[in-house]
Amino acid sequence: MKYFLSAHFLHAVCGVGLLLGATNCVSQKKYAALQTQYTDAARSRDQLQVEKTALQQEKSQNEEALRTSLLSKSQQVNQLNANLSGAQQENSQLSADLRGKEQRIADMQRILDQKDAAVKALRQKVGDALLGFTAQDLQVNVRNGKVYVSLSEQLLFKSGSTKVDPKGHEALTKLAIALKGNQDVNVLVEGHTDNVPIAKGTAGMRDNWDLSVLRATEITRILTQAGLPAAQVTPSGRAEYAPIATNDGAMNKALNRRTEIILTPKLDELFQILEQN
């Protein structure tokens, strides 16, 4: 509560003091000084109140800003934790996928190693079965993971004929016996010719396509009659279009007139693994 000292009140007090015989009374000058001090104090108090109010507002604003910032930081931390958890799960999945792929690669390598070993064993078995024939009559080689048994025309056929000679029949029978029971090998019989056209009027044939196919078919019959399952053997004819030498001389032409029996180990298990990828 504010109290104001009026001059009339002080004069009245002084008057009373004089009537009562008081020796002292507040002077007008002292009153003015007190009034000034009071005014200054009130002004300081009001200023302090304003500053207090401003500080309280600033404090409230700072507290609100801190709460907002803390909430934002907390949300950021939660988001980072969620991202970290997701990254860990993704990394775990990637690790599992990588282990799975590494296992499939290891399985494929194991199968390829087994296939290589099987090809080598097959080449050895076929070579042993055909030891009695010269290199001019037949050759056994490994190319591109397959066993190639190349038989010359002179071993198998007379010129332009599709009937296998006795010596060629013997070689094919031995080959069939060596392969018999081996169900994991596909047998492809390919007939090849040189580029000399067949004689006009040859019965049942119009060109070298017919000649190469009919020779392959005849050889397939002999192999199956000797014990190979018919479903395991496929005849095909390439005519003069897959030569191994240029058709520019008698010797090279003789090389091109051949039958190749291609032995390929089945890779069903490997194909299944590749399909999983």
Side-chain angles (χ1 to χ4, degrees):
M1 182 182 292
K2 297 180 179 180
Y3 296 92
F4 298 93
L5 301 175
S6 75
H8 295 293
F9 175 74
L10 292 176
H11 284 302
V13 172
C14 288
V16 173
L18 289 174
L19 292 174
L20 296 176
T23 59
N24 294 315
C25 185
V26 178
S27 67
Q28 184 68 30
K29 185 177 181 180
K30 193 172 184 179
Y31 163 77
L34 289 173
Q35 183 66 38
T36 298
Q37 291 177 4
Y38 175 81
T39 300
D40 291 342
R43 186 180 297 113
S44 296
R45 182 197 63 192
D46 292 342
Q47 182 63 35
L48 288 173
Q49 184 64 42
V50 171
E51 293 177 357
K52 176 183 177 183
T53 301
L55 287 173
Q56 288 176 336
Q57 290 177 350
E58 183 179 359
K59 176 187 176 186
S60 297
Q61 291 174 353
N62 289 338
E63 288 177 346
E64 182 62 26
L66 286 173
R67 281 194 294 270
T68 301
S69 178
L70 181 61
L71 178 61
S72 177
K73 297 297 182 185
S74 178
Q75 290 174 343
Q76 291 178 12
V77 170
N78 291 337
Q79 184 61 47
L80 288 173
N81 287 335
N83 292 342
L84 179 61
S85 177
Q88 289 174 338
Q89 292 177 354
E90 183 178 357
N91 184 59
S92 177
Q93 182 62 43
L94 288 174
S95 297
D97 292 343
L98 180 60
R99 288 194 297 271
K101 289 182 179 180
E102 288 175 346
Q103 182 59 50
R104 287 193 288 274
I105 290 174
D107 290 341
M108 286 190 288
Q109 186 59 54
R110 172 182 55 80
I111 294 171
L112 289 174
D113 291 343
Q114 291 176 349
K115 180 234 179 187
D116 289 341
V119 168
K120 290 180 182 179
L122 182 61
R123 190 257 176 265
Q124 185 65 44
K125 186 175 184 179
V126 170
D128 291 344
L130 301 175
L131 275 178
F133 298 89
T134 66
Q136 289 183 337
D137 287 338
L138 65 82
Q139 295 181 1
V140 182
N141 298 299
V142 174
R143 300 198 306 268
N144 302 321
K146 303 174 183 179
V147 177
Y148 283 74
V149 181
S150 183
L151 302 101
S152 67
E153 181 190 51
Q154 67 183 15
L155 174 66
L156 297 175
F157 304 101
K158 292 182 173 60
S159 179
S161 173
T162 61
K163 180 177 176 58
V164 177
D165 291 341
K167 191 175 181 181
H169 199 292
E170 177 188 356
L172 294 173
T173 301
K174 289 183 176 181
L175 176 60
I177 293 173
L179 296 176
K180 192 173 181 180
N182 193 341
Q183 301 294 323
D184 294 328
V185 175
N186 291 317
V187 181
L188 175 64
V189 181
E190 281 189 352
H192 298 267
T193 69
D194 58 22
N195 64 346
V196 178
I198 63 173
K200 291 183 178 181
T202 303
M205 289 180 283
R206 292 187 300 174
D207 51 30
N208 284 329
W209 283 114
D210 286 337
L211 178 60
S212 63
V213 170
L214 289 174
R215 283 181 170 182
T217 302
E218 182 63 19
I219 290 172
T220 298
R221 288 194 183 95
I222 294 173
L223 292 175
T224 55
Q225 289 170 359
L228 284 184
Q232 193 174 346
V233 188
T234 303
S236 68
R238 303 293 300 274
E240 69 262 31
Y241 300 107
I244 58 175
T246 56
N247 286 292
D248 56 1
M251 185 175 297
N252 284 347
K253 289 182 178 181
L255 292 175
N256 290 331
R257 296 191 302 270
R258 70 199 188 279
T259 298
E260 289 187 335
I261 300 177
I262 305 170
L263 311 176
T264 307
K266 294 181 180 179
L267 298 175
D268 296 344
E269 188 179 356
L270 179 59
F271 292 147
Q272 290 175 359
I273 293 175
L274 291 174
E275 289 174 358
Q276 293 175 3
N277 292 334

